[in-house]
Amino acid sequence: MSGRGDRGRARGRGGGAPRGRGDSGSRGSSPGHGTPRGASPSFGSRGSSPAGGSGFRGGRGEGFRGGGAPRGRGGVRGPPPEQVHYASEPIPAPPEGPATIDARINTMQLGVEKFKKAPKSVEHPLRPGFGSLGAPIVVRANFFALKIRPGLIIHEYRVDITPKTDINRLKARILACLEDLPAFAQYKLDVAHDKSEKLVANRALPQPLDFEVTFVEEGETTPRPNAKTYKVEIVKTAELDTKQLTQHVGGDLANKDIDINPIVSAINLIIQMQSSRTGIRVGRNRHFFGPPVQSIGNGVEAWRGYYASVRPAWNTMMVNINVCMTAFVESKNLGTAIAQFMQGSYGAVPTLSRMFQKSNLKVKTLHLGYRKPVRAILGKTPDQQTFECKEMGGTVTVAEYFKKKYPNNPIEYPHLPLVDIGTSEKPNYIPAELCQIIRAIPFRGKLDDRQTSDMLRVACQSPKVNSNLIRGEGFDKLDLISPHETMKHFGISIDRQMTVIPARILPPPGINYAAGKPPRVNDGSWNILDVKFHRPGQLGVLTMLIVREESRPGPWTGPGDQNMWDFAIGRGDHGKQDQYFSNVALKVNTKLGGVNHRLERRDLQWLLEKRTMVVGADVTHPGPTSIDGTPSLAAVVASVDADFFQFPVSMELQEGKKEMIQNLEKMMVDRLLLYQLHNKALPERVLFFRDGVSEGQFDSVLVEELPQIRKAFERVYKGGKKPQLMICICGKRHHARFYPTDDRNASRNGNTKPGTIVDKGIGDVYRFDFYLQAHAGLQGTVKATHYTVIYDEIGFSADTIQQGAHTSSYSYVRATKAVSLIPAAYYSDLACERGRLYLNDFLNLGTDRSSVGGRGKKDRDAAKREVFEACIRAWGDGIHAGVKNSMFYI
């Protein structure tokens, strides 16, 4: 709806009120002070009724100025909620096949022996061998063998659209219209595309090849009057021989450097072609399918989907398939949604960002059936908003316009605000009750605590349920049970049985305290009753700040007031208090520089052979509720003691949303000098564990971060011998899952046991990588950490680094259990989270004020720069000198 006046239904473009100046301030959301931090409306589990006033308190007069929607506590009426149909029981999975290890695994050792004879390379080192330590077991992995027709040549094309557009949604719609053209029918099953600019075919298409496409809106069957016509040209760019895949995965070093990424990308397009039509893609290789699993409140619902991606493995190509969940906006009447928001937030002024954050809200107009994006929820009702309408003889209100123009669609809820479904130049006002939020809009924003809890509850499925979903509903929704027509035409199919691979369970380390019996490690954890920390921290002067709530008696008279101590320390179940105080003691002693527990010397030997500094690094980025222009924050921690217990940190701000650490040289210099201060010598080896980096960024680490580390060595060591360096990437953002084949090797909830390690069958063909699950999976299906060594001057064996990473996971300072990630990387993540708190006013402002102003790009860039500089000023000198050499962030 463009709002071009009212010259008939066709030009109404959605049937809203024609554009006009209206009253002052009518073109956008009502003024206000933004979303209160930490506050959000809270709905019941099905979204049917508000659950109280934990959300917005209103704006003390801001919003509907001059008399708008009532602001009473509850009682705001809107269209009645509709019945929602949730997902039924998924289809059953086929029976699992025998737990027989894939035959191809038997040839892996021979291949690795050839690697040992090759020239050594410190960058992307070859796998040095396979680990042998631990008890051998057999597991299934959610990887499925991919079968490709011999001799398949994939023809790659570029899609050019004229007039050109950079809007992905528009390009996707144009290509959907292309598929419906009779002239394109002869090619449809022979091609797959990415809904944007890349197309692949199983045969050579005629050249030149172009089509005239008349645009048809989604959900409509015929073009609208004056619909735009696009020219779509399909231009050949390459031929991809799938024989190269076979050569690469065979393990022959002569084929190691074959770039198989274009072929893998093409096959992903082919496999996902059908799911891209029937599902909603959110993120890379993830498609979600309705109906929703359940509501998680506040107009948001949980959808289940499936990740599918082609991966090379030893002597085969495989498809990694996994269950995933994400949030979608509930499809309901927009008037209902606004009324529920106002009820749940005690009459707070509804705005687009407060209700839907950064979701791209789109509605269907109920009186004309058009689909339109929503630009704003206004601060005025239909009776208040006026505009000039020549057809009706001058200035009219929106309510008067709709009463005369659409008598069959009376406004039943005049107290609800209007919405604008036009543009900034041509606003178009329509009553909210005449808008239906369309289905399948991904929720773009930050879930509140209750929504997060409900989402986790829905997403955490046992390993058995998870496996059945993948092999049952997953294959069905992705249309892989019997390959869909596009796959058939390319000669591609996928085995429905998970691959069976060898694994091992590594032994836990020995743990000791200064006094008391050595704890008994069971299922990756132990208790600390009747033990004494190895080195107590120095407390010094204790200052206590107590923020007294209104409900508490007071004031307190001072240190001798027993009521104060009862409140500060707590009363009640002493058993629970012991556990609570133990947890507090772990953190406090660490912050004060103490050492809680130690690993047995034999388990630290890999780090003690030479003076070693263990480093962890991570970067945290602005989120949906951050002001545009807010910087990212990098944290680098490093050990300073021979117990590898104390890891002080350096923190630096950098350009927003840049993953590579920009000031790593300075941070590494600081860490090296502090190590030297503690040890009276510099380290001979540096182990650098990098968190938060994807596989596609491995080379970026070597190009952008490695040179900075080397420069730091030059500055600190000067002309002396430089330390040996190893860089290992720690990845948690993967979709590999492992399932025990024998109950004896499973934990009580069906997960693999702590210490499970996989380095055969699904990893990289050439790189030195492995999957390690050091921790116990307490809920859902446990996820291992994927470690990949991308730079190595040290030459650790597979057993050394695998068992070393495993035992180190038991040295985490604030828990008596093994953790999922090697502590150095874990600490860098914790430090990033602490650093975010120091910039809370920028990082967590709320969506109402997260976008910077400015009409043009220059204005927006200038505003972002001002925000960045304001963050730099707020950051000041960074960490206070009094705590910068401690683990204050724990």
Side-chain angles (χ1 to χ4, degrees):
M1 180 172 60
S2 65
R4 297 178 178 175
D6 186 60
R7 298 181 183 176
R9 173 168 172 168
R11 295 193 180 185
R13 309 285 291 179
R19 68 184 174 94
R21 290 189 191 82
D23 295 338
S24 176
S26 63
R27 290 196 174 194
S29 314
S30 56
H33 286 303
T35 308
R37 289 191 300 274
S40 59
S42 180
F43 288 72
S45 62
R46 293 284 176 178
S48 58
S49 61
S54 64
F56 305 100
R57 297 182 180 178
R60 296 197 177 186
E62 285 83 9
F64 292 89
R65 296 184 178 178
R71 302 199 46 218
R73 296 180 177 271
V76 181
R77 292 179 60 247
E82 306 150 37
Q83 183 177 1
V84 181
H85 298 282
Y86 295 102
S88 56
E89 288 296 318
I91 67 169
E96 291 180 331
T100 304
I101 293 177
D102 290 357
R104 61 190 175 85
I105 304 297
N106 297 328
T107 65
M108 294 187 72
Q109 185 61 47
L110 181 61
V112 171
E113 291 300 323
K114 295 179 181 178
F115 294 174
K116 295 178 181 180
K117 300 175 183 178
K120 301 295 182 183
S121 172
V122 293
E123 292 190 4
H124 296 300
L126 294 170
R127 188 183 298 278
F130 297 105
S132 58
L133 188 64
I137 63 171
V138 176
V139 297
R140 287 186 170 88
N142 59 337
F143 288 71
F144 302 83
L146 178 69
K147 301 172 184 177
I148 303 173
R149 184 182 72 214
L152 174 64
I153 302 294
I154 299 176
H155 302 263
E156 188 177 68
Y157 296 84
R158 184 184 72 247
V159 178
D160 294 333
I161 298 175
T162 309
K164 186 177 180 180
T165 178
D166 293 324
I167 303 173
N168 289 331
R169 178 190 59 81
L170 183 56
K171 288 191 284 188
R173 186 63 203 149
I174 292 170
L175 288 177
C177 294
L178 171 68
E179 290 185 341
D180 291 335
L181 287 182
F184 192 74
Q186 59 181 310
Y187 308 113
K188 185 174 180 179
L189 295 179
D190 294 326
V191 304
H193 57 79
D194 64 355
K195 295 188 173 183
S196 179
E197 54 192 23
K198 181 178 178 180
L199 181 145
V200 296
N202 64 6
R203 58 187 173 91
L205 304 180
Q207 295 286 284
L209 183 62
D210 54 75
F211 302 88
E212 296 291 327
V213 177
T214 303
F215 190 80
V216 179
E217 289 283 354
E218 185 179 0
E220 300 177 16
T221 56
T222 57
R224 295 179 182 178
N226 301 321
K228 204 167 187 176
T229 298
Y230 294 88
K231 181 181 180 181
V232 178
E233 296 179 86
I234 300 175
V235 182
K236 190 164 187 176
T237 56
E239 288 188 5
L240 308 173
D241 189 348
T242 57
K243 181 176 66 176
Q244 291 185 317
L245 293 178
T246 305
Q247 294 171 336
H248 178 79
V249 300
D252 188 337
L253 288 174
N255 299 317
K256 170 180 174 290
D257 295 326
I258 292 177
D259 183 9
I260 64 170
N261 288 326
I263 309 175
V264 170
S265 176
I267 297 175
N268 272 325
L269 288 182
I270 297 163
I271 290 173
Q272 298 171 16
M273 194 63 231
Q274 186 61 21
S275 55
S276 71
R277 295 186 179 115
T278 59
I280 306 299
R281 187 169 72 88
V282 182
R284 190 175 181 182
N285 300 322
R286 301 193 311 161
H287 291 87
F288 293 84
F289 307 88
V293 178
Q294 74 170 57
S295 170
I296 57 174
N298 297 358
V300 181
E301 58 193 14
W303 280 41
R304 185 160 56 229
Y306 293 89
Y307 168 92
S309 179
V310 175
R311 309 276 302 178
W314 184 266
N315 262 338
T316 190
M317 295 297 296
M318 310 200 86
V319 182
N320 179 203
I321 302 177
N322 193 33
V323 186
C324 44
M325 299 288 295
T326 199
F328 278 73
V329 176
E330 287 183 340
S331 176
K332 62 172 68 173
N333 185 282
L334 184 54
T336 303
I338 291 174
Q340 289 177 337
F341 170 83
M342 295 173 72
Q343 289 171 345
S345 59
Y346 284 69
V349 178
T351 65
L352 196 61
S353 57
R354 282 181 180 173
M355 291 183 62
F356 304 102
Q357 299 193 34
K358 294 188 176 182
S359 307
N360 297 317
L361 192 69
K362 198 172 183 181
V363 296
K364 180 179 180 180
T365 59
L366 298 181
H367 58 313
L368 294 179
Y370 287 142
R371 294 178 175 225
K372 286 289 176 181
V374 177
R375 191 175 74 89
I377 298 175
L378 304 183
K380 295 189 177 182
T381 65
D383 288 326
Q384 296 170 337
Q385 180 65 56
T386 62
F387 63 94
E388 293 295 322
C389 179
K390 293 182 181 179
E391 180 186 0
M392 296 185 182
T395 302
V396 295
T397 66
V398 173
E400 292 169 340
Y401 172 82
F402 272 87
K403 184 176 181 179
K404 295 179 181 178
K405 185 67 179 178
Y406 303 104
N408 294 328
N409 295 96
I411 299 175
E412 298 182 30
Y413 305 94
H415 58 279
L416 292 178
L418 290 167
V419 297
D420 182 0
I421 57 174
T423 65
S424 57
E425 293 79 19
K426 299 176 181 179
N428 206 326
Y429 312 123
I430 187 170
E433 66 189 78
L434 295 182
C435 296
Q436 179 75 17
I437 301 172
I438 66 171
R439 178 181 173 274
I441 297 175
F443 178 74
R444 310 285 187 185
K446 184 178 181 181
L447 299 178
D448 62 35
D449 290 345
R450 180 172 179 177
Q451 289 172 326
T452 300
S453 176
D454 287 346
M455 176 64 84
L456 288 173
R457 193 176 299 113
V458 174
C460 285
Q461 303 284 358
S462 70
K464 182 176 181 180
V465 171
N466 198 64
S467 170
N468 288 337
L469 281 170
I470 292 171
R471 296 180 299 110
E473 181 184 83
F475 267 72
D476 179 54
K477 295 287 189 180
L478 297 171
D479 205 1
L480 302 176
I481 294 178
S482 175
H484 56 73
E485 290 301 318
T486 303
M487 289 176 64
K488 288 179 181 176
H489 279 242
F490 277 86
I492 294 174
S493 62
I494 301 173
D495 193 312
R496 203 172 173 187
Q497 291 293 335
M498 289 187 180
T499 188
V500 181
I501 56 176
R504 291 168 286 125
I505 300 178
L506 299 176
I511 295 167
N512 63 69
Y513 289 86
K517 293 181 179 180
R520 180 174 175 269
V521 177
N522 181 37
D523 205 22
S525 65
W526 66 97
N527 65 56
I528 55 171
L529 296 178
D530 302 320
V531 299
K532 182 180 179 181
F533 290 159
H534 265 293
R535 187 176 73 220
Q538 299 302 311
L539 183 60
V541 178
L542 172 64
T543 301
M544 182 180 295
L545 172 65
I546 300 177
V547 180
R548 185 173 60 84
E549 298 175 353
E550 292 181 3
S551 60
R552 297 286 180 179
W556 291 303
T557 59
D561 191 327
Q562 186 59 42
N563 288 330
M564 181 186 75
W565 289 104
D566 287 342
F567 172 61
I569 298 176
R571 291 171 292 183
D573 188 324
H574 290 289
K576 293 181 179 178
Q577 283 187 345
D578 287 344
Q579 182 65 49
Y580 171 76
F581 289 138
S582 295
N583 291 335
V584 171
L586 292 172
K587 298 176 185 179
V588 172
N589 194 53
T590 301
K591 290 173 186 284
L592 296 175
V595 174
N596 298 343
H597 68 276
R598 288 175 177 155
L599 303 183
E600 294 289 353
R601 187 172 182 83
R602 68 175 184 273
D603 296 307
L604 287 174
Q605 194 58 41
W606 73 296
L607 298 175
L608 297 175
E609 291 175 349
K610 294 183 178 180
R611 291 191 305 275
T612 301
M613 184 174 80
V614 180
V615 181
D618 194 14
V619 180
T620 186
H621 304 288
T625 58
S626 304
I627 310 177
D628 291 341
T630 301
S632 294
L633 185 146
V636 175
V637 306
S639 62
V640 294
D641 60 338
D643 295 312
F644 300 93
F645 202 86
Q646 285 290 322
F647 283 76
V649 64
S650 295
M651 293 184 189
E652 295 284 344
L653 300 184
Q654 63 181 45
E655 184 180 350
K657 298 183 179 179
K658 296 293 184 181
E659 180 58 43
M660 296 301 108
I661 301 175
Q662 296 174 342
N663 206 9
L664 182 58
E665 179 184 344
K666 175 183 178 298
M667 300 167 85
M668 284 297 295
V669 167
D670 292 343
R671 296 303 96 217
L672 288 165
L673 292 178
L674 187 61
Y675 180 97
Q676 185 181 38
L677 181 66
H678 278 258
N679 297 276
K680 311 306 179 188
L682 288 165
E684 298 171 279
R685 298 190 305 193
V686 173
L687 312 185
F688 190 90
F689 291 93
R690 182 66 160 90
D691 190 22
V693 173
S694 68
E695 290 185 17
Q697 295 172 315
F698 287 0
D699 285 335
S700 297
V701 173
L702 297 177
V703 170
E704 298 181 42
E705 294 187 351
L706 174 60
Q708 294 189 69
I709 297 173
R710 286 172 170 162
K711 287 180 181 178
F713 291 166
E714 291 288 343
R715 286 175 57 182
V716 175
Y717 288 78
K718 299 182 172 36
K721 184 179 179 181
K722 309 301 184 293
Q724 294 175 303
L725 174 65
M726 183 199 75
I727 300 176
C728 181
I729 308 298
C730 314
K732 293 287 287 184
R733 298 174 188 170
H734 62 81
H735 289 268
R737 301 293 184 272
F738 305 110
Y739 305 90
T741 58
D742 190 326
D743 290 343
R744 292 173 296 181
N745 299 321
S747 60
R748 285 176 294 180
N749 60 12
N751 276 307
T752 45
K753 288 184 175 181
T756 298
I757 188 162
V758 172
D759 63 355
K760 291 181 179 179
I762 64 164
D764 194 275
V765 178
Y766 302 95
R767 285 181 180 144
F768 184 12
D769 71 338
F770 57 91
Y771 292 85
L772 171 63
Q773 178 216 323
H775 65 301
L778 301 181
Q779 59 180 350
T781 302
V782 70
K783 181 197 290 190
T785 297
H786 186 201
Y787 294 91
T788 305
V789 178
I790 65 168
Y791 187 88
D792 187 14
E793 296 174 343
I794 299 173
F796 283 130
S797 68
D799 273 331
T800 298
I801 192 170
Q802 290 172 6
Q803 179 66 358
H806 175 54
T807 56
S808 294
S809 299
Y810 285 77
S811 65
Y812 183 66
V813 299
R814 69 179 198 181
T816 56
K817 60 179 64 180
V819 289
S820 62
L821 185 62
I822 196 165
Y826 204 138
Y827 297 150
S828 67
D829 181 74
L830 291 177
C832 281
E833 290 305 308
R834 174 57 63 91
R836 290 180 68 90
L837 299 178
Y838 303 149
L839 295 174
N840 187 66
D841 288 345
F842 297 92
L843 284 164
N844 300 300
L845 186 68
T847 50
D848 262 5
R849 297 172 60 192
S850 62
S851 296
V852 297
R855 298 181 63 182
K857 185 177 186 299
K858 288 185 178 180
D859 292 334
R860 291 194 300 271
D861 289 345
K864 289 179 182 179
R865 185 65 195 173
E866 288 179 9
V867 170
F868 184 87
E869 292 173 351
C871 287
I872 298 298
R873 291 192 297 271
W875 186 257
D877 295 328
I879 305 169
H880 192 278
V883 297
K884 70 176 184 179
N885 292 335
S886 71
M887 292 182 73
F888 67 91
Y889 56 88
I890 287 296

